[in-house]
Amino acid sequence: MAKYDELARQINAQIERGVWVKGEKLPSLRKQAEQTGFSLMTVLHAYQLLESQGVISSKARSGFVVAASTDPKQSGRVHSRVEVSDAVSVNDFVYEVLQASRDPHMFSLGFAYPDPSLYPRQHLNKSISCAAQQISLTSAMDNLPPGNLELRKIIAKRYAARGVSISPDDIIITAGALEALNLSLQACTQPGDWVVIESPVFYGALQALQRLGLKAITVKVTPENGLDVAALERALQNHLVKACWLMSSYQNPLGYSLSDDTKQRIAGLLDAYNVSLIEDDVYAELYAQGKAPLPIKHFIKNTNSMLCSSFSKSLVAGYRIGWVAAGKNALSIQKQQLMSTLATSAPIQLALVDYLTKKNYELHLKQLRKKLIVRKKDMVDFLCDLLKDVATVYSHSGGYFVWIECQPHIDAMQVYQEALRLNITIAPGKLFSVTEQYDHCFRLNASFELNEARRNQLRKLTHFIKALSKEEQYSTDLNSI
Ligand SMILES: Cc1ncc(COP(=O)(O)O)c(C=O)c1O
């Protein structure tokens, strides 16, 4: 690539990320040359190229300014609070990041599940062996969709304790929350339909949309304010939306939770526009204070809403047991399940019934929540100190994700590559969006203990981020940090 082309791309990316906004003057040719190390001629050619593309324009005696109206195809997207995307494609990258997390030597901060040492392994093992001994010849039939009745009753009772009325008959046991979410989306959409999702969003939503050939309308969410309800309303007004996939508590990746008042307003909108809600509630048990939050479903009148969750984040990930409280879609979801996975593993459903009836799940949850609070605080304190001048560290009460927003010119993919070299995985912002808006951000999993070796790894990584921010040379020698 010619040097002027390279520089033009850099400037284009800066404009896309809001470093230079429309109407703003770019650095003079001389200043740009000094800052970037390119020759004056290269800078001039780059500016002329961007001008020919309509990205910038020249003004007599004031140099080059960002064009008032730029063509999004050439200059990148204009990031409004609602965006549409005809086709969604993220699966390959998600696969790559998950593969990296499989290496046992990695400090898996990019992983979405809690530290497995926090699960009550011995009790679960006992329950598995109990289930194996008790399993009857008819157990495969008893555990067909909608799933084991005892398990569905236990789940319904746990909702009742939160103040949410859900009948065991409305619950379908699935292979983790991911199957619940996918089946729910399939139950209320046809290929080509519009679906509202958050931006940034859990990549599972992007994969599901990709798989089902659905079109995304993204509504911007922020770590400070969560979902913008006015933007959601605009999306519903302007498009024939079939479904809305949301997280109202401990959102992945930002970690925020919506207030009951906001949930109520969202429920009112979905009722008014008759849009199906697919609510992802997988972190609900991981609250830090008080009691488990209410889902949006609690406030909704529409019987189309589907509430999906699992035991993966609170008890055990590998069992792959989740569920959907499916309302009027319960039957169609069961029929779809018959066509895909047929049913969830019978012995594993029985093992969970054994654990939940005989062991102290509440005590385990209490201990888990306590540990997560301490570990997240350790991680946040440590990172805030190391990154104080170069990034914002967002953390909320509950859950275990921390969202890091670097300066706009930082490429989190570069941070991701350096992290891999240091045997750390992170979840770069690119995983959570169909646009480039979060390319300077990444998500960390704060459920792991921060021992000295891990602190050293993180010191090196943050040193790299600081060097990128200040455009300095980076040394991998920790002693020089
Ligand atoms: C927000 C969110 N929803 C759903 C899932 C999938 O959960 P499960 O493992 O139960 O399928 C995950 C897992 O990472 C998640 O983070």
mmCIF file of all heavy atoms in Angstrom, residues 112-113 175-179 181 202-203 245 247 250-252 280-283 309-313 317 320-322 400-401 443, ligand 1:
data_model
loop_
_atom_site.group_PDB
_atom_site.id
_atom_site.type_symbol
_atom_site.label_atom_id
_atom_site.label_comp_id
_atom_site.label_asym_id
_atom_site.label_seq_id
_atom_site.Cartn_x
_atom_site.Cartn_y
_atom_site.Cartn_z
ATOM 1 N N ALA A 112 -16.502 -15.665 28.922
ATOM 2 C CA ALA A 112 -17.759 -15.105 29.437
ATOM 3 C C ALA A 112 -18.280 -15.864 30.660
ATOM 4 O O ALA A 112 -19.275 -15.464 31.245
ATOM 5 C CB ALA A 112 -18.810 -15.103 28.340
ATOM 6 N N TYR A 113 -17.623 -16.972 31.026
ATOM 7 C CA TYR A 113 -18.114 -17.760 32.174
ATOM 8 C C TYR A 113 -17.265 -17.452 33.402
ATOM 9 O O TYR A 113 -16.090 -17.106 33.278
ATOM 10 C CB TYR A 113 -18.050 -19.256 31.845
ATOM 11 C CG TYR A 113 -19.026 -19.607 30.742
ATOM 12 C CD1 TYR A 113 -18.624 -19.611 29.407
ATOM 13 C CD2 TYR A 113 -20.352 -19.860 31.042
ATOM 14 C CE1 TYR A 113 -19.527 -19.885 28.394
ATOM 15 C CE2 TYR A 113 -21.266 -20.135 30.030
ATOM 16 C CZ TYR A 113 -20.847 -20.141 28.715
ATOM 17 O OH TYR A 113 -21.746 -20.391 27.716
ATOM 18 N N ALA A 175 -30.689 -26.568 26.066
ATOM 19 C CA ALA A 175 -29.233 -26.740 26.200
ATOM 20 C C ALA A 175 -28.613 -25.364 26.421
ATOM 21 O O ALA A 175 -28.189 -24.690 25.486
ATOM 22 C CB ALA A 175 -28.669 -27.382 24.940
ATOM 23 N N GLY A 176 -28.593 -24.924 27.660
ATOM 24 C CA GLY A 176 -28.067 -23.600 27.999
ATOM 25 C C GLY A 176 -29.027 -22.502 27.578
ATOM 26 O O GLY A 176 -30.034 -22.747 26.891
ATOM 27 N N ALA A 177 -28.679 -21.287 27.989
ATOM 28 C CA ALA A 177 -29.508 -20.136 27.610
ATOM 29 C C ALA A 177 -29.412 -19.888 26.106
ATOM 30 O O ALA A 177 -30.353 -19.377 25.500
ATOM 31 C CB ALA A 177 -29.061 -18.895 28.380
ATOM 32 N N LEU A 178 -28.275 -20.268 25.531
ATOM 33 C CA LEU A 178 -28.104 -19.951 24.110
ATOM 34 C C LEU A 178 -29.141 -20.653 23.243
ATOM 35 O O LEU A 178 -29.686 -20.062 22.313
ATOM 36 C CB LEU A 178 -26.680 -20.330 23.677
ATOM 37 C CG LEU A 178 -26.166 -19.570 22.468
ATOM 38 C CD1 LEU A 178 -26.228 -18.065 22.690
ATOM 39 C CD2 LEU A 178 -24.739 -19.979 22.159
ATOM 40 N N GLU A 179 -29.429 -21.924 23.568
ATOM 41 C CA GLU A 179 -30.476 -22.605 22.793
ATOM 42 C C GLU A 179 -31.835 -21.942 23.060
ATOM 43 O O GLU A 179 -32.641 -21.756 22.137
ATOM 44 C CB GLU A 179 -30.561 -24.105 23.123
ATOM 45 C CG GLU A 179 -31.506 -24.799 22.142
ATOM 46 C CD GLU A 179 -31.871 -26.234 22.497
ATOM 47 O OE1 GLU A 179 -31.824 -26.613 23.674
ATOM 48 O OE2 GLU A 179 -32.232 -26.975 21.569
ATOM 49 N N LEU A 181 -32.450 -18.852 23.767
ATOM 50 C CA LEU A 181 -32.521 -17.571 23.043
ATOM 51 C C LEU A 181 -32.735 -17.807 21.549
ATOM 52 O O LEU A 181 -33.547 -17.142 20.906
ATOM 53 C CB LEU A 181 -31.224 -16.786 23.270
ATOM 54 C CG LEU A 181 -31.035 -16.248 24.706
ATOM 55 C CD1 LEU A 181 -29.572 -15.964 25.003
ATOM 56 C CD2 LEU A 181 -31.860 -14.975 24.909
ATOM 57 N N PHE A 202 -24.276 -8.698 23.443
ATOM 58 C CA PHE A 202 -23.704 -10.046 23.588
ATOM 59 C C PHE A 202 -23.613 -10.661 22.182
ATOM 60 O O PHE A 202 -24.610 -10.672 21.458
ATOM 61 C CB PHE A 202 -24.618 -10.862 24.506
ATOM 62 C CG PHE A 202 -24.377 -12.350 24.468
ATOM 63 C CD1 PHE A 202 -23.111 -12.884 24.638
ATOM 64 C CD2 PHE A 202 -25.439 -13.227 24.253
ATOM 65 C CE1 PHE A 202 -22.904 -14.253 24.593
ATOM 66 C CE2 PHE A 202 -25.242 -14.602 24.220
ATOM 67 C CZ PHE A 202 -23.956 -15.112 24.383
ATOM 68 N N TYR A 203 -22.429 -11.171 21.835
ATOM 69 C CA TYR A 203 -22.236 -11.632 20.447
ATOM 70 C C TYR A 203 -23.174 -12.779 20.074
ATOM 71 O O TYR A 203 -23.456 -12.983 18.887
ATOM 72 C CB TYR A 203 -20.771 -12.030 20.192
ATOM 73 C CG TYR A 203 -20.195 -12.960 21.228
ATOM 74 C CD1 TYR A 203 -20.501 -14.298 21.257
ATOM 75 C CD2 TYR A 203 -19.342 -12.478 22.210
ATOM 76 C CE1 TYR A 203 -19.993 -15.137 22.224
ATOM 77 C CE2 TYR A 203 -18.821 -13.315 23.188
ATOM 78 C CZ TYR A 203 -19.143 -14.640 23.183
ATOM 79 O OH TYR A 203 -18.646 -15.461 24.146
ATOM 80 N N TRP A 245 -34.481 -8.097 21.376
ATOM 81 C CA TRP A 245 -33.633 -8.979 22.212
ATOM 82 C C TRP A 245 -32.874 -8.077 23.170
ATOM 83 O O TRP A 245 -32.027 -7.291 22.739
ATOM 84 C CB TRP A 245 -32.687 -9.735 21.283
ATOM 85 C CG TRP A 245 -31.644 -10.596 21.926
ATOM 86 C CD1 TRP A 245 -30.890 -10.311 23.021
ATOM 87 C CD2 TRP A 245 -31.209 -11.899 21.481
ATOM 88 N NE1 TRP A 245 -30.021 -11.327 23.291
ATOM 89 C CE2 TRP A 245 -30.198 -12.309 22.370
ATOM 90 C CE3 TRP A 245 -31.570 -12.729 20.426
ATOM 91 C CZ2 TRP A 245 -29.529 -13.531 22.217
ATOM 92 C CZ3 TRP A 245 -30.902 -13.936 20.286
ATOM 93 C CH2 TRP A 245 -29.904 -14.339 21.170
ATOM 94 N N MET A 247 -31.098 -7.290 27.320
ATOM 95 C CA MET A 247 -30.680 -7.697 28.664
ATOM 96 C C MET A 247 -30.993 -6.523 29.583
ATOM 97 O O MET A 247 -30.544 -5.407 29.303
ATOM 98 C CB MET A 247 -29.180 -7.959 28.718
ATOM 99 C CG MET A 247 -28.752 -9.183 27.977
ATOM 100 S SD MET A 247 -27.022 -9.587 28.324
ATOM 101 C CE MET A 247 -27.142 -10.298 29.976
ATOM 102 N N TYR A 250 -27.323 -6.637 34.415
ATOM 103 C CA TYR A 250 -25.913 -7.016 34.262
ATOM 104 C C TYR A 250 -25.602 -7.297 32.794
ATOM 105 O O TYR A 250 -25.138 -8.376 32.422
ATOM 106 C CB TYR A 250 -25.568 -8.211 35.160
ATOM 107 C CG TYR A 250 -26.218 -8.096 36.514
ATOM 108 C CD1 TYR A 250 -27.146 -9.027 36.973
ATOM 109 C CD2 TYR A 250 -25.953 -6.999 37.328
ATOM 110 C CE1 TYR A 250 -27.783 -8.876 38.195
ATOM 111 C CE2 TYR A 250 -26.587 -6.840 38.553
ATOM 112 C CZ TYR A 250 -27.499 -7.787 38.971
ATOM 113 O OH TYR A 250 -28.129 -7.626 40.176
ATOM 114 N N GLN A 251 -25.883 -6.296 31.980
ATOM 115 C CA GLN A 251 -25.784 -6.481 30.527
ATOM 116 C C GLN A 251 -24.376 -6.896 30.115
ATOM 117 O O GLN A 251 -23.376 -6.388 30.660
ATOM 118 C CB GLN A 251 -26.185 -5.159 29.822
ATOM 119 C CG GLN A 251 -26.464 -5.310 28.335
ATOM 120 C CD GLN A 251 -25.328 -4.800 27.439
ATOM 121 O OE1 GLN A 251 -24.259 -4.460 27.923
ATOM 122 N NE2 GLN A 251 -25.570 -4.750 26.149
ATOM 123 N N ASN A 252 -24.319 -7.812 29.201
ATOM 124 C CA ASN A 252 -23.056 -8.250 28.608
ATOM 125 C C ASN A 252 -22.925 -7.525 27.269
ATOM 126 O O ASN A 252 -23.805 -7.681 26.417
ATOM 127 C CB ASN A 252 -23.104 -9.769 28.397
ATOM 128 C CG ASN A 252 -21.832 -10.318 27.797
ATOM 129 O OD1 ASN A 252 -20.895 -9.587 27.541
ATOM 130 N ND2 ASN A 252 -21.816 -11.622 27.574
ATOM 131 N N ASP A 280 -32.731 -11.804 27.842
ATOM 132 C CA ASP A 280 -31.607 -12.636 28.261
ATOM 133 C C ASP A 280 -31.266 -12.260 29.700
ATOM 134 O O ASP A 280 -30.795 -11.160 29.973
ATOM 135 C CB ASP A 280 -30.436 -12.350 27.304
ATOM 136 C CG ASP A 280 -29.221 -13.212 27.591
ATOM 137 O OD1 ASP A 280 -29.190 -13.859 28.647
ATOM 138 O OD2 ASP A 280 -28.301 -13.214 26.759
ATOM 139 N N ASP A 281 -31.502 -13.212 30.600
ATOM 140 C CA ASP A 281 -31.436 -12.911 32.038
ATOM 141 C C ASP A 281 -30.405 -13.809 32.732
ATOM 142 O O ASP A 281 -30.570 -14.158 33.891
ATOM 143 C CB ASP A 281 -32.855 -13.172 32.608
ATOM 144 C CG ASP A 281 -33.119 -12.469 33.918
ATOM 145 O OD1 ASP A 281 -32.558 -11.390 34.132
ATOM 146 O OD2 ASP A 281 -33.898 -13.006 34.728
ATOM 147 N N VAL A 282 -29.324 -14.156 32.032
ATOM 148 C CA VAL A 282 -28.425 -15.198 32.556
ATOM 149 C C VAL A 282 -27.643 -14.800 33.805
ATOM 150 O O VAL A 282 -27.151 -15.666 34.514
ATOM 151 C CB VAL A 282 -27.403 -15.694 31.500
ATOM 152 C CG1 VAL A 282 -28.021 -16.627 30.501
ATOM 153 C CG2 VAL A 282 -26.690 -14.555 30.834
ATOM 154 N N TYR A 283 -27.512 -13.488 34.055
ATOM 155 C CA TYR A 283 -26.703 -13.085 35.216
ATOM 156 C C TYR A 283 -27.563 -12.701 36.423
ATOM 157 O O TYR A 283 -27.043 -12.161 37.404
ATOM 158 C CB TYR A 283 -25.781 -11.918 34.832
ATOM 159 C CG TYR A 283 -24.826 -12.297 33.725
ATOM 160 C CD1 TYR A 283 -25.071 -11.976 32.398
ATOM 161 C CD2 TYR A 283 -23.681 -13.037 34.008
ATOM 162 C CE1 TYR A 283 -24.211 -12.368 31.389
ATOM 163 C CE2 TYR A 283 -22.812 -13.430 33.008
ATOM 164 C CZ TYR A 283 -23.086 -13.096 31.699
ATOM 165 O OH TYR A 283 -22.234 -13.493 30.706
ATOM 166 N N SER A 309 -32.841 -18.032 30.467
ATOM 167 C CA SER A 309 -31.761 -18.032 31.458
ATOM 168 C C SER A 309 -31.134 -19.425 31.526
ATOM 169 O O SER A 309 -31.486 -20.313 30.731
ATOM 170 C CB SER A 309 -32.300 -17.597 32.815
ATOM 171 O OG SER A 309 -31.229 -17.313 33.674
ATOM 172 N N SER A 310 -30.219 -19.600 32.489
ATOM 173 C CA SER A 310 -29.551 -20.914 32.612
ATOM 174 C C SER A 310 -28.837 -21.012 33.954
ATOM 175 O O SER A 310 -28.800 -20.038 34.715
ATOM 176 C CB SER A 310 -28.533 -21.086 31.493
ATOM 177 O OG SER A 310 -27.412 -20.257 31.718
ATOM 178 N N PHE A 311 -28.264 -22.178 34.202
ATOM 179 C CA PHE A 311 -27.443 -22.363 35.401
ATOM 180 C C PHE A 311 -25.961 -22.120 35.088
ATOM 181 O O PHE A 311 -25.116 -22.313 35.956
ATOM 182 C CB PHE A 311 -27.626 -23.785 35.947
ATOM 183 C CG PHE A 311 -28.998 -24.034 36.511
ATOM 184 C CD1 PHE A 311 -29.911 -24.815 35.841
ATOM 185 C CD2 PHE A 311 -29.370 -23.471 37.728
ATOM 186 C CE1 PHE A 311 -31.184 -25.045 36.356
ATOM 187 C CE2 PHE A 311 -30.639 -23.692 38.255
ATOM 188 C CZ PHE A 311 -31.552 -24.475 37.571
ATOM 189 N N SER A 312 -25.660 -21.726 33.852
ATOM 190 C CA SER A 312 -24.266 -21.682 33.416
ATOM 191 C C SER A 312 -23.410 -20.670 34.169
ATOM 192 O O SER A 312 -22.215 -20.869 34.324
ATOM 193 C CB SER A 312 -24.188 -21.335 31.931
ATOM 194 O OG SER A 312 -24.988 -22.190 31.177
ATOM 195 N N LYS A 313 -24.009 -19.574 34.584
ATOM 196 C CA LYS A 313 -23.212 -18.525 35.219
ATOM 197 C C LYS A 313 -23.244 -18.634 36.735
ATOM 198 O O LYS A 313 -22.420 -18.056 37.416
ATOM 199 C CB LYS A 313 -23.748 -17.140 34.825
ATOM 200 C CG LYS A 313 -24.011 -16.967 33.362
ATOM 201 C CD LYS A 313 -22.727 -16.951 32.569
ATOM 202 C CE LYS A 313 -23.020 -16.770 31.092
ATOM 203 N NZ LYS A 313 -21.820 -16.487 30.321
ATOM 204 N N ALA A 317 -21.284 -24.438 34.169
ATOM 205 C CA ALA A 317 -21.440 -24.103 32.744
ATOM 206 C C ALA A 317 -21.527 -25.356 31.876
ATOM 207 O O ALA A 317 -22.309 -25.436 30.944
ATOM 208 C CB ALA A 317 -20.277 -23.233 32.282
ATOM 209 N N ARG A 320 -24.696 -27.475 30.548
ATOM 210 C CA ARG A 320 -25.485 -26.911 29.444
ATOM 211 C C ARG A 320 -27.000 -27.044 29.707
ATOM 212 O O ARG A 320 -27.746 -27.591 28.882
ATOM 213 C CB ARG A 320 -25.141 -27.582 28.083
ATOM 214 C CG ARG A 320 -23.698 -27.615 27.706
ATOM 215 C CD ARG A 320 -23.086 -26.253 27.506
ATOM 216 N NE ARG A 320 -23.814 -25.440 26.564
ATOM 217 C CZ ARG A 320 -24.145 -24.161 26.783
ATOM 218 N NH1 ARG A 320 -23.799 -23.552 27.925
ATOM 219 N NH2 ARG A 320 -24.802 -23.481 25.883
ATOM 220 N N ILE A 321 -27.414 -26.568 30.870
ATOM 221 C CA ILE A 321 -28.857 -26.575 31.152
ATOM 222 C C ILE A 321 -29.350 -25.128 31.286
ATOM 223 O O ILE A 321 -28.849 -24.356 32.109
ATOM 224 C CB ILE A 321 -29.186 -27.358 32.443
ATOM 225 C CG1 ILE A 321 -28.843 -28.837 32.276
ATOM 226 C CG2 ILE A 321 -30.671 -27.191 32.827
ATOM 227 C CD1 ILE A 321 -29.775 -29.642 31.396
ATOM 228 N N GLY A 322 -30.313 -24.811 30.455
ATOM 229 C CA GLY A 322 -30.949 -23.504 30.519
ATOM 230 C C GLY A 322 -32.442 -23.672 30.355
ATOM 231 O O GLY A 322 -32.962 -24.798 30.392
ATOM 232 N N TYR A 400 -19.844 -9.862 36.692
ATOM 233 C CA TYR A 400 -18.381 -9.890 36.826
ATOM 234 C C TYR A 400 -17.659 -9.328 35.599
ATOM 235 O O TYR A 400 -16.497 -9.641 35.367
ATOM 236 C CB TYR A 400 -17.898 -11.322 37.128
ATOM 237 C CG TYR A 400 -18.469 -12.394 36.231
ATOM 238 C CD1 TYR A 400 -17.895 -12.673 34.999
ATOM 239 C CD2 TYR A 400 -19.585 -13.125 36.624
ATOM 240 C CE1 TYR A 400 -18.425 -13.646 34.174
ATOM 241 C CE2 TYR A 400 -20.127 -14.104 35.813
ATOM 242 C CZ TYR A 400 -19.542 -14.353 34.594
ATOM 243 O OH TYR A 400 -20.062 -15.316 33.778
ATOM 244 N N PHE A 401 -18.353 -8.507 34.827
ATOM 245 C CA PHE A 401 -17.672 -7.919 33.672
ATOM 246 C C PHE A 401 -17.203 -6.498 33.965
ATOM 247 O O PHE A 401 -17.852 -5.758 34.707
ATOM 248 C CB PHE A 401 -18.603 -7.881 32.454
ATOM 249 C CG PHE A 401 -18.872 -9.249 31.883
ATOM 250 C CD1 PHE A 401 -20.144 -9.604 31.481
ATOM 251 C CD2 PHE A 401 -17.848 -10.176 31.754
ATOM 252 C CE1 PHE A 401 -20.403 -10.870 30.960
ATOM 253 C CE2 PHE A 401 -18.085 -11.440 31.235
ATOM 254 C CZ PHE A 401 -19.368 -11.782 30.846
ATOM 255 N N ARG A 443 -13.741 -5.972 26.844
ATOM 256 C CA ARG A 443 -14.402 -6.446 28.059
ATOM 257 C C ARG A 443 -13.481 -7.418 28.788
ATOM 258 O O ARG A 443 -12.818 -8.235 28.152
ATOM 259 C CB ARG A 443 -15.691 -7.188 27.671
ATOM 260 C CG ARG A 443 -16.554 -7.611 28.851
ATOM 261 C CD ARG A 443 -17.516 -8.723 28.461
ATOM 262 N NE ARG A 443 -16.805 -9.956 28.185
ATOM 263 C CZ ARG A 443 -17.342 -11.027 27.604
ATOM 264 N NH1 ARG A 443 -18.598 -11.013 27.220
ATOM 265 N NH2 ARG A 443 -16.620 -12.112 27.387
HETATM 266 C C1 LIG B 1 -25.359 -12.640 27.917
HETATM 267 C C2 LIG B 1 -25.265 -14.102 27.683
HETATM 268 N N1 LIG B 1 -26.345 -14.772 27.289
HETATM 269 C C3 LIG B 1 -26.324 -16.092 27.065
HETATM 270 C C4 LIG B 1 -25.157 -16.806 27.230
HETATM 271 C C5 LIG B 1 -25.169 -18.281 26.964
HETATM 272 O O1 LIG B 1 -25.409 -18.942 28.161
HETATM 273 P P1 LIG B 1 -25.384 -20.537 28.225
HETATM 274 O O2 LIG B 1 -23.981 -20.940 28.484
HETATM 275 O O3 LIG B 1 -26.288 -20.888 29.334
HETATM 276 O O4 LIG B 1 -25.878 -21.050 26.914
HETATM 277 C C6 LIG B 1 -24.009 -16.148 27.645
HETATM 278 C C7 LIG B 1 -22.763 -16.879 27.778
HETATM 279 O O5 LIG B 1 -21.711 -16.365 27.700
HETATM 280 C C8 LIG B 1 -24.066 -14.761 27.880
HETATM 281 O O6 LIG B 1 -23.016 -14.071 28.291
#
